[in-house]
Structures are given as C-alpha cells and as structure tokens.
Amino acid sequence: KDLGWIYWNWNNWPMTTCHVVDGVARAAKDLDPSLTPGAAEFMMKYTKVHFIDGDLKRPCVSEHFDPISGRPNMPNLDYAHSYYIDLIMRHVVGIEVDPISDEVRINPLDMGLDRFEARNVRVKGHDLTVTWKKGEFAASVDGKVAATAPKLSPLKVRLKK
C-alpha cells in the first residue's frame, strides 16, 4: 500500500549519518590515527551533500537525495539538523568540553584545510576562539592566547573562573 510521502521514508537519514561520521572521526582521533585520511574524506563527502551542486550559497540537507551522486531529488526540502553543526565544532574545529572540569581539549581532525577559524564560541561563560592557518594553530580564551602549536595537534586550555 502506498502511504504517500512522509518525512521519514526516504533514502538518507541525516541524523543517523551524523552518528556514523561522529564514530568514524572519534575512532581516528582517539583510537587509530591511521584512520584519519578516511575519516576526513567521509566528513568532506557528507559535507558536500549539504549544498546543492556544491554551491556554498545553496545549503540544503534533504532525506531524499540520490545516494550515488549526492544530489537532492527534492531540493526544496531542508533538513539542517543541529548534529551536523556539532560535528563541525567537535571534529573540524576540534572543541571538546569536559563537562566537569574547567578543561577544554582542542583536537581537530586533520581535514587537509589550509585554514579555519571559530570565534567567540561561548563555553562555560567564556569566549573561546580557535584558529588554524598553515603552521599556526592557536586557542584563545577571552581574547588571550591560551595555547599554540605549529601543527594541528591536541591542545588543552583551562577556563579561568
């Protein structure tokens, strides 16, 4: 029996895909660094399905897209789930907040990006900024540099009370 269109019966579930991307990125960062290239490629492929024809001015996440080409079959459907933003913040920018202590680990997955920046990310009452420009990785808390490295590698910063 044809039930017609309902939002949950298409060939892509963005939320479920986010769970898989999250697991792959976490495994690469915490268990086996040799998984990093594959995890980065997976994250980039998933990111590309968030834009119609790869055009950054045309964001659209749809559950109804061609699983081979990644092109949406119904581009007017937009499913911008917040989990994707979490993936960007935790695995591209690398912000991982300890829920108990005042420590924040900055541990980005090396996506092969020349640069990225997240400014004024509010964390436990403080403004955290993370920047990467080839050869300079830095984290600042409330406008003051808290940690630096010459490459993408885990940093730890403490939030002053």
Side-chain angles (χ1 to χ4, degrees), residues 55-74:
D55 183 350
L56 296 179
K57 294 178 183 174
R58 298 177 64 201
C60 178
V61 180
S62 170
E63 290 189 344
H64 190 46
F65 72 88
D66 183 299
I68 305 301
S69 71
R71 296 192 61 176
N73 294 324
M74 300 176 77

Side-chain angles (χ1 to χ4, degrees), residues 96-99 101-105 124 156-159:
E96 299 176 11
V97 180
D98 184 316
S101 76
D102 65 348
E103 185 174 272
V104 177
R105 182 171 85 152
K124 295 185 178 185
K156 287 187 180 181
V157 297
R158 292 212 176 269
L159 303 173

Side-chain angles (χ1 to χ4, degrees), residues 5 8 12 49 65 68 75 105 115 118 122 131-132 149 153-154:
W5 182 84
W8 300 103
N12 173 44
V49 302
F65 72 88
I68 305 301
R105 182 171 85 152
R115 62 185 162 82
R122 199 75 176 154
T131 58
W132 163 246
S153 57

Side-chain angles (χ1 to χ4, degrees), residues 6-82:
I6 58 172
Y7 206 73
W8 300 103
N9 67 351
W10 295 113
N11 48 10
N12 173 44
W13 283 18
M15 180 68 168
T16 303
T17 306
C18 282
H19 286 296
V20 176
V21 172
D22 189 22
V24 170
R26 176 72 50 216
K29 291 182 349 180
D30 294 343
L31 300 175
D32 185 352
S34 73
L35 299 173
T36 298
E41 180 182 4
F42 190 25
M43 179 71 183
M44 289 303 286
K45 282 184 177 182
Y46 184 56
T47 295
K48 288 178 182 177
V49 302
H50 284 72
F51 301 92
I52 298 170
D53 296 328
D55 183 350
L56 296 179
K57 294 178 183 174
R58 298 177 64 201
C60 178
V61 180
S62 170
E63 290 189 344
H64 190 46
F65 72 88
D66 183 299
I68 305 301
S69 71
R71 296 192 61 176
N73 294 324
M74 300 176 77
N76 59 328
L77 298 176
D78 193 10
Y79 185 95
H81 204 283
S82 60

Side-chain angles (χ1 to χ4, degrees), residues 114 131-138 147-155:
D114 290 334
T131 58
W132 163 246
K133 206 182 326 183
K134 284 279 187 195
E136 186 178 330
F137 183 43
T148 63
K151 63 180 185 165
L152 286 177
S153 57
L155 300 175

